[in-house]
Amino acid sequence: MATAKSFDTADYKLFPSPRNVHRMVFEHQVFVPHPYALIDLPSYYLKGRYSLFAACRLSDGKMGQLVTLELAEDEARFKANFVPD
């Protein structure tokens, strides 16, 4: 049974991952339109804090995942290395 509650931002309805170490939405965000892709953020060796959410994009109802990152360089690293499975 899921115990995490959803919350809305201006752009997304978010469902926090129970594996998040940092339970907050950071400034740099990447929407991944693959709701079932396995995203192992520690394997990207990011320098700053990060969090992962299941997400529904409010503008079009598209389901996916939202990766939020503290640092712009981590956003670039994630975008360059992410390959959906």
Side-chain angles (χ1 to χ4, degrees), residues 25-59:
V25 177
F26 295 103
E27 177 182 0
H28 304 283
Q29 302 174 1
V30 180
F31 181 75
V32 178
H34 306 282
Y36 301 108
L38 297 176
I39 300 176
D40 179 30
L41 289 174
S43 70
Y44 288 89
Y45 301 105
L46 304 169
K47 293 182 180 181
R49 298 180 298 169
Y50 51 82
S51 57
L52 177 67
F53 300 89
C56 177
R57 192 166 48 197
L58 297 176
S59 63

Side-chain angles (χ1 to χ4, degrees), residues 53-84:
F53 300 89
C56 177
R57 192 166 48 197
L58 297 176
S59 63
D60 60 2
K62 179 77 175 168
M63 294 299 294
Q65 298 179 69
L66 185 70
V67 177
T68 72
L69 306 135
E70 183 177 37
L71 304 174
E73 64 189 74
D74 286 342
E75 178 184 6
R77 178 187 299 260
F78 178 79
K79 285 180 177 178
N81 294 314
F82 175 74
V83 177

